[in-house]
Amino acid sequence: MVVEEFPMSGEQPVEDGDLVRRARTEPAAFGELCRRYSSPLYSYLRARTNNDEDAADLTQQVFLKAMYAFPRYRERGRPFGAWLFRIARNLLTDSRRRQRPSVSWDDVPEAHVPRTKDDLEAQVVAAEAHARVRAALGRLDATQREIVLLRFVAGLTFREIGAVVGKSESSAHRDTLRALRTLQEQYHDQ
Amino acid sequence: MTNRSSPTARYADILNDSPELETVVHALDRDLTVAYTADAPLSVETAIGRLVAEQRPSRRRLLPPTPFPSRLVLACALVATIVLAAAVYLVVPVAERAFYTDAGSENVLTNGLATQLGLSQTQDGYTVTLQKAYADLNRVVVDYTIQRPGGEPFNDFARLARGRFQSTLTDASGAVLPPMAGAYVQGGAVLNNFDDSATRGTLATISLRLSIPLLEALGQSGASPFVFRFDVPVQPGRIVNPNLAVIAGGRTLILQRVVVTPSETRIYLAGLNGTGLFPHLTVDGYDSNHVSIHGWSPTEGGGSIWSIRPIGGGRVVCDFFQSLMAEHGTWTLTITAGPATADGKRVTGGPWVFRFSVP
């Protein structure tokens, strides 16, 4: 089962902007963009939904929505990755209104205990990490939780995070520092 | 996205100004990675492939696709895929499952064309074993496995991919072979492809050096890469030099060279040096627009089926990632151009249709 691919280009990895320009007329380039963000998006959505199936379902919906909206997408001021995550965020809001497959930011996300691993030690380590994450995120407000997940789980830059949540880059940076200082005591001496 | 090479590098924009946050940053990164970070499942990859497959190269813009099937249909498809994958898992060794969407590499592995090497090295508990290698006039394929300390397969490839983890292959002269496709697989196996077209000539065997910066990609800055030196026989292929010129839309395109090898078929064209070109190759029994890879048919989507790219000097190279070694007779190659764009690099004109003989 293939889980990750390099681009079939024979060249060094290209920037998002180049792929976006190619994707205007080349379906393969759009596919490459989607694959580039599939795992970060899925990871982010795992943290915002109740189970892996909902996360996978929403990830697919993000790409479907993106395909519809792509002709109207303009890169100015919003990088492609931030645009995708913005779509994901809106989908989460919509799905919560309909049937609540996603986790409200009033709650702390449920942990995703790996269900396919036979390794007991790995499960124990994961369960301990989940417990710490639940405790940590529970100390943050909704905006801080989202920013922390976008940074630490999805790997977005502060510029991208700002574009996702509607803040400036410096504001996203500042909120992250504030969240980390809130969590500093919990993680002290670990 | 940020650089994922090591926590310190990834969060330099935080830690440079606030070094007192290092403990919490590292701990939070560790816990959130364990809790939520994961590779997108196969169903997502399948959905992306379907999105791409349903789009024809457009002269205006990408069209919206048909909606995804219901979750029930997707679930059934996923179950079927898992059953198929499980069957493959049972009969195919780990290293050979790497080539799930790369038909050319799969061909050279499953037909015994690769050289068994079995070279192992261990550093800091991690063991890398170079299982097999393969070379022909188009590409070199290396296939290796990684084991964690304790012997379990290494599966954290998403972390490596985000860190732009890339092995380096050099020949005896020190020339670096450009990386092509690669695939990570569950079970600790890794496939890397390298472009071999510029280096081989008529050598019967090549000497290679593979450098794998695994530990550095895992965050151990300054760690030494795993380095393997080995020899691989160059598998024979067929080379045809049609030198056919076709004029369309006032522009001339020349089909210079066709190199057919077990790993892929590569076609060299001269007269154009731009993007937005779409190839279509038909031979008796083969149609690049209707290729199925393990039941997946990304028609006209490129990616795992074909690639076309400018290489400078008014030339483009077109790769078809399937073995056409068994295809003889008259081949038909049609090159279609996309629309012009403001950057001026996109080719206009066409289609150019070449019919040529491959013995």
Side-chain angles (χ1 to χ4, degrees):
Chain A
M1 182 187 303
V2 174
V3 295
E4 190 71 36
E5 283 190 337
F6 298 124
M8 271 278 198
S9 65
E11 299 167 348
Q12 295 301 313
V14 295
E15 298 297 323
D16 279 2
D18 293 334
L19 277 177
V20 166
R21 282 186 283 280
R22 283 175 47 201
R24 298 290 181 197
T25 52
E26 295 178 36
F30 187 82
E32 197 169 325
L33 278 168
C34 291
R35 290 187 182 91
R36 181 170 287 192
Y37 285 97
S38 62
S39 289
L41 263 175
Y42 175 66
S43 298
Y44 167 73
L45 289 167
R46 285 184 85 216
R48 298 287 319 268
T49 53
N50 286 321
N51 57 61
D52 291 351
E53 288 73 23
D54 285 341
D57 199 27
L58 282 170
T59 306
Q60 294 173 26
Q61 289 183 45
V62 170
F63 293 133
L64 182 62
K65 287 244 178 195
M67 178 65 95
Y68 274 108
F70 186 67
R72 299 188 301 277
Y73 167 68
R74 296 292 178 268
E75 198 172 10
R76 287 189 296 272
R78 181 175 293 175
F80 183 80
W83 181 68
L84 279 183
F85 276 87
R86 181 86 179 185
I87 292 173
R89 196 162 169 256
N90 292 338
L91 272 171
L92 282 164
T93 303
D94 291 345
S95 63
R96 192 163 62 243
R97 286 185 188 134
R98 287 199 304 270
Q99 53 183 1
R100 294 185 64 85
S102 63
V103 176
S104 164
W105 275 130
D106 296 332
D107 307 321
V108 175
E110 289 293 329
H112 289 247
V113 177
R115 290 171 296 178
T116 57
K117 289 186 176 177
D118 298 325
D119 185 339
L120 182 60
E121 185 181 343
Q123 287 197 23
V124 170
V125 170
E128 290 174 353
H130 291 148
R132 284 193 296 271
V133 163
R134 284 177 65 83
L137 295 181
R139 301 180 65 174
L140 303 179
D141 64 35
T143 303
Q144 288 175 326
R145 284 179 208 159
E146 176 134 40
I147 287 176
V148 164
L149 289 182
L150 288 169
R151 184 59 205 265
F152 285 81
V153 177
L156 299 191
T157 64
F158 288 125
R159 176 172 176 247
E160 291 169 325
I161 292 169
V164 173
V165 301
K167 288 173 174 279
S168 67
E169 179 178 354
S170 60
S171 180
H173 190 179
R174 196 165 51 245
D175 285 353
T176 303
L177 293 182
R178 193 174 297 129
L180 291 171
R181 292 202 170 94
T182 301
L183 301 178
Q184 201 169 13
E185 184 180 343
Q186 175 180 339
Y187 278 108
H188 188 63
D189 295 333
Q190 285 186 14
Chain B
M1 283 182 288
T2 55
N3 182 340
R4 302 287 295 187
S5 56
S6 72
T8 302
R10 283 202 299 279
Y11 304 111
D13 50 356
I14 296 173
L15 299 177
N16 286 347
D17 293 336
S18 306
E20 75 280 5
L21 295 175
E22 183 170 8
T23 300
V24 64
V25 163
H26 282 233
L28 196 59
D29 176 64
R30 176 199 62 210
D31 285 348
L32 285 171
T33 297
V34 171
Y36 298 123
T37 300
D39 296 311
L42 186 62
S43 59
V44 172
E45 167 63 28
T46 303
I48 294 171
R50 187 166 174 270
L51 274 179
V52 173
E54 290 187 355
Q55 301 299 315
R56 295 176 63 85
S58 170
R59 293 181 181 279
R60 293 174 55 225
R61 63 178 190 175
L62 290 178
L63 300 174
T66 55
F68 282 123
S70 68
R71 188 181 293 196
L72 176 62
V73 174
L74 281 173
C76 291
L78 184 59
V79 168
T81 304
I82 291 171
V83 170
L84 175 63
V88 172
Y89 190 94
L90 290 174
V91 299
V92 180
V94 166
E96 298 181 2
R97 296 198 303 272
F99 308 101
Y100 189 71
T101 61
D102 182 351
S105 295
E106 182 175 18
N107 175 56
V108 303
L109 267 195
T110 56
N111 288 316
L113 299 175
T115 300
Q116 295 280 356
L117 294 171
L119 304 172
S120 287
Q121 290 181 18
T122 301
Q123 287 188 51
D124 286 358
Y126 287 88
T127 298
V128 176
T129 302
L130 179 55
Q131 302 282 2
K132 297 179 182 178
Y134 167 86
D136 63 29
L137 298 172
N138 284 323
R139 64 166 134 169
V140 172
V141 181
V142 296
D143 175 20
Y144 58 89
T145 55
I146 305 174
Q147 288 179 305
R148 291 180 181 281
E152 66 198 56
F154 178 89
N155 280 320
D156 195 7
F157 291 113
R159 193 179 188 93
L160 295 184
R162 283 191 293 272
R164 304 229 166 173
F165 170 71
Q166 177 65 58
S167 302
T168 303
L169 191 68
T170 51
D171 66 8
S173 70
V176 176
L177 278 66
M180 293 178 61
Y184 298 131
V185 298
Q186 301 283 13
V190 180
L191 160 73
N192 278 157
N193 287 289
F194 297 90
D195 190 320
D196 194 27
S197 58
T199 55
R200 297 291 72 78
T202 56
L203 292 175
T205 301
I206 53 172
S207 298
L208 296 167
R209 176 185 184 276
L210 177 67
S211 176
I212 304 169
L214 172 67
L215 298 179
E216 192 168 5
L218 292 175
Q220 298 184 28
S221 58
S224 299
F226 292 82
V227 176
F228 297 93
R229 290 181 172 80
F230 55 97
D231 295 336
V232 185
V234 179
Q235 295 293 331
R238 303 203 305 278
I239 300 176
V240 181
N241 297 299
N243 285 317
L244 288 174
V246 170
I247 302 172
R251 302 195 66 163
T252 302
L253 188 60
I254 301 168
L255 171 62
Q256 292 185 315
R257 185 178 176 90
V258 179
V259 181
V260 187
T261 65
S263 67
E264 66 173 81
T265 296
R266 185 168 296 181
I267 298 175
Y268 295 82
L269 300 149
L272 300 173
N273 188 21
T275 58
L277 295 169
F278 299 92
H280 178 205
L281 180 64
T282 57
V283 195
D284 183 27
Y286 173 83
D287 184 332
S288 64
N289 281 356
H290 296 91
V291 173
S292 175
I293 301 175
H294 296 288
W296 179 56
S297 302
T299 52
E300 299 188 25
S304 297
I305 305 300
W306 54 259
S307 166
I308 189 165
R309 62 187 193 277
I311 57 173
R315 301 176 76 201
V316 294
V317 159
C318 180
D319 298 292
F320 291 94
F321 300 113
Q322 300 88 46
S323 173
L324 300 180
M325 289 290 284
E327 303 291 347
H328 302 272
T330 300
W331 293 27
T332 301
L333 174 68
T334 302
I335 303 292
T336 306
T341 57
D343 62 14
K345 295 178 181 175
R346 193 172 294 277
V347 173
T348 57
W352 295 268
V353 181
F354 300 93
R355 289 186 178 83
F356 54 100
S357 178
V358 177

